[in-house]
Amino acid sequence: MERIEQRTDTLTHWVTNVAGVRREFDATITEQRPDERVAWTTVDGEAKQAGVVTFHRIDDSTTKVMLQMEFEPEGLAETVGDKLGVVKRRVSGDLHRFKDFIEQRGGRETGAWRGGTAGPGGGATGGPGGGGTI
């Protein structure tokens, strides 16, 4: 992942690069509970995916992060790359970079929107609107 920009409370713009294949797409946040869970699905662009990331507090200094993601490889190169584990390794690397990012910030928030959404079909709740980049 090169970057994710939060354009509105529930709309994000992604730029990814896996094995030299660059994609841009928009995704909507379908569920968000700050410090617990974020789920999304693509709505427009060059990729089709959906996922959820959950955060599980272990103790004051440890959080377990779990990611589930579904995507549709396009073309022979992406299909072969997926079968060879390229995508899995890239996602694992992205999670490690996210960990480093959070630890370097000392747990401070980025300033991006932290309100909640009610889940599928629900609207945004709480927190000011605005954007941010991860």
Side-chain angles (χ1 to χ4, degrees), residues 8-31:
T8 70
D9 288 350
T10 58
L11 181 68
T12 56
H13 180 76
W14 299 51
V15 179
T16 63
N17 190 331
V18 177
V21 177
R22 189 172 190 270
R23 298 257 189 253
E24 289 196 43
F25 54 92
D26 292 333
T28 188
I29 297 171
T30 57
E31 182 179 6

Side-chain angles (χ1 to χ4, degrees), residues 19 28 52 65 90 113 119-121 128-129 131 134:
T28 188
V52 61
V65 178
R90 179 60 194 242
W113 180 70
I134 296 177

Side-chain angles (χ1 to χ4, degrees), residues 1-2 16-23 76-82 84-91 94 97:
M1 174 175 49
E2 288 184 9
T16 63
N17 190 331
V18 177
V21 177
R22 189 172 190 270
R23 298 257 189 253
L76 181 61
E78 287 186 20
T79 300
V80 170
D82 181 37
L84 293 175
V86 172
V87 174
K88 186 174 183 177
R89 285 191 300 277
R90 179 60 194 242
V91 169
D94 287 343
R97 284 184 286 281

Side-chain angles (χ1 to χ4, degrees), residues 86-124:
V86 172
V87 174
K88 186 174 183 177
R89 285 191 300 277
R90 179 60 194 242
V91 169
S92 179
D94 287 343
L95 286 172
H96 285 284
R97 284 184 286 281
F98 178 71
K99 176 184 183 288
D100 292 343
F101 171 75
I102 296 299
E103 288 177 349
Q104 289 171 1
R105 295 187 59 78
R108 291 185 320 275
E109 299 171 8
T110 63
W113 180 70
R114 289 184 43 83
T117 61

